[in-house]
Amino acid sequence: MKVAIVGAGQVGSSAAYACVLRGAASDVVLVDVDEKRAGAHAEDILHATPFASSARLSAGPPSAAEGAQVVVLTAGVGQKPGESRLDLLQRNADVFRALVPQVLAASPDALLVVATNPVDVMTHVAARVAADERGIPSARVVGSGTILDTARFRALLGEHLDVAPSSVHAYVLGEHGDSEVLAWSGARVGGVPLAAFDDDPRRAVDDAVRARVDEGVRRAAYRIIAGKGATWHGIGAGLARLVEVVRDDERAVFTVSAVTAEVEGVRDVALSLPRVVGAAGVVRTLTPELDADERTALRRSAGILREAADALGL
């Protein structure tokens, strides 16, 4: 399968590298305004193929995305000193309004995976442009959303409970950002509620544990950014996993972002919910178990994202 990754910065190059290591794609093309940088990443990653899976690596302009089944969008502009979040949103929206039509002209049948931050609003922008330009349904525009936050949640819970993270079923919903919602009420380990661990004081999930895990999930990006400037390895691996899911039509459940008709009374908003993802994009959106406080928090998160979309005229 061919995947085009638009934006050859840290996230884009990490996603390309992860695709090769996991064998997610047989043809990977990097697209960037800085073609020299994109070419250098492609050449460097090519040299890893003898240690991983066989793949073709190349770089080029948006037209090089021709024939791609998946296009991963990581391109965007950085925040300027003193620039407001809304100004940054507007500039990144302008980038997408110019870029998405070029990509779709080259590969009109591709599924779009959005990773550019703020990812929920940028997913909404990409979906609107794709619909206006090509009539592409919003289900075929998938944001990486809270896939990484959910992975952090499961990893920290698994560490506390001394079980493999793959056996933990717990979700982070809403915005990929400060208003995200850790859905504790529906968290399960092997189908067993967390309360079942209360008989072991070392594994009980009390308020102190919840606060520690919440901090570990919600503040992870801030700690990583403080240490090295940005996050890229985790999300790169997550994007490669989504490419695999689309390639194999897995119908796997991920907390990806997509435009949703209504969430807790907030209409037409892009955010993360558990969704079945396959070759056609979002196949189905699931309704998770939430308590009253979590529903209130999700409504607040949806409202914040709706306000941002309103500011962009979406």
Side-chain angles (χ1 to χ4, degrees), residues 247-313:
R247 179 196 65 194
D248 298 336
D249 193 22
E250 282 189 36
R251 308 297 178 101
V253 176
F254 289 92
T255 51
V256 293
S257 186
V259 177
T260 310
E262 186 271 333
V263 178
E264 295 296 333
V266 180
R267 302 190 62 80
D268 189 31
V269 61
L271 47 59
S272 287
L273 292 170
R275 305 182 196 270
V276 181
V277 182
V282 174
V283 178
R284 182 181 177 186
T285 296
L286 306 180
T287 303
E289 295 181 12
L290 300 176
D291 62 24
D293 289 342
E294 290 164 350
R295 292 187 63 181
T296 298
L298 184 58
R299 185 181 306 115
R300 173 178 175 273
S301 188
I304 288 170
L305 292 169
R306 184 59 255 174
E307 288 180 7
D310 286 340
L312 293 178

Side-chain angles (χ1 to χ4, degrees), residues 22-137:
R22 294 184 62 91
S26 58
D27 191 345
V28 180
V29 57
L30 285 158
V31 175
D32 198 279
V33 292
D34 186 343
E35 292 190 23
K36 184 176 180 180
R37 178 173 66 172
H41 278 306
E43 183 176 3
D44 192 15
I45 296 169
L46 176 66
H47 299 161
T49 56
F51 309 110
S53 63
S54 178
R56 293 182 295 276
L57 274 297
S58 61
S63 59
E66 183 178 4
Q69 288 97 320
V70 178
V71 174
V72 180
L73 298 170
T74 71
V77 295
Q79 194 163 6
K80 296 178 179 178
E83 184 177 38
S84 71
R85 182 173 180 270
L86 182 57
D87 288 339
L88 175 63
L89 267 174
Q90 186 63 63
R91 290 201 297 134
N92 270 331
D94 291 342
V95 169
F96 266 38
R97 289 183 179 117
L99 183 61
V100 171
Q102 296 179 58
V103 169
L104 291 176
S107 192
D109 297 323
L111 187 144
L112 301 182
V113 176
V114 180
T116 301
N117 276 321
V119 68
D120 301 292
V121 183
M122 297 311 298
T123 298
H124 205 150
V125 172
R128 177 65 61 84
V129 174
D132 291 346
E133 289 287 323
R134 297 275 174 172
I136 293 174

Side-chain angles (χ1 to χ4, degrees), residues 1-242:
M1 185 179 78
K2 179 176 181 177
V3 57
I5 298 175
V6 182
Q10 298 286 15
V11 172
S13 60
S14 290
Y17 185 48
C19 281
V20 169
L21 290 183
R22 294 184 62 91
S26 58
D27 191 345
V28 180
V29 57
L30 285 158
V31 175
D32 198 279
V33 292
D34 186 343
E35 292 190 23
K36 184 176 180 180
R37 178 173 66 172
H41 278 306
E43 183 176 3
D44 192 15
I45 296 169
L46 176 66
H47 299 161
T49 56
F51 309 110
S53 63
S54 178
R56 293 182 295 276
L57 274 297
S58 61
S63 59
E66 183 178 4
Q69 288 97 320
V70 178
V71 174
V72 180
L73 298 170
T74 71
V77 295
Q79 194 163 6
K80 296 178 179 178
E83 184 177 38
S84 71
R85 182 173 180 270
L86 182 57
D87 288 339
L88 175 63
L89 267 174
Q90 186 63 63
R91 290 201 297 134
N92 270 331
D94 291 342
V95 169
F96 266 38
R97 289 183 179 117
L99 183 61
V100 171
Q102 296 179 58
V103 169
L104 291 176
S107 192
D109 297 323
L111 187 144
L112 301 182
V113 176
V114 180
T116 301
N117 276 321
V119 68
D120 301 292
V121 183
M122 297 311 298
T123 298
H124 205 150
V125 172
R128 177 65 61 84
V129 174
D132 291 346
E133 289 287 323
R134 297 275 174 172
I136 293 174
S138 61
R140 292 190 59 81
V141 182
V142 179
S144 57
T146 59
I147 59 169
L148 186 52
D149 309 275
T150 290
R152 291 166 176 157
F153 190 15
R154 294 177 177 183
L156 292 174
L157 263 181
E159 182 179 56
H160 175 72
L161 298 172
D162 196 25
V163 299
S166 58
S167 296
V168 178
H169 299 279
Y171 300 109
V172 177
L173 313 174
E175 178 194 16
H176 172 56
D178 292 342
S179 72
E180 64 189 22
V181 181
L182 278 67
W184 287 97
S185 63
R188 300 286 187 273
V189 179
V192 176
L194 296 183
F197 291 85
D198 285 348
D199 59 350
D200 183 347
R202 297 171 303 167
R203 309 301 175 200
V205 182
D206 56 19
D207 289 343
V209 171
R210 292 188 182 216
R212 175 168 54 81
V213 171
D214 187 283
E215 171 76 9
V217 173
R218 199 179 301 275
R219 303 295 298 178
Y222 291 100
R223 290 192 300 275
I224 294 169
I225 290 169
K228 67 173 190 174
T231 65
W232 57 80
H233 292 310
I235 190 57
L239 291 169
R241 181 71 183 100
L242 288 178

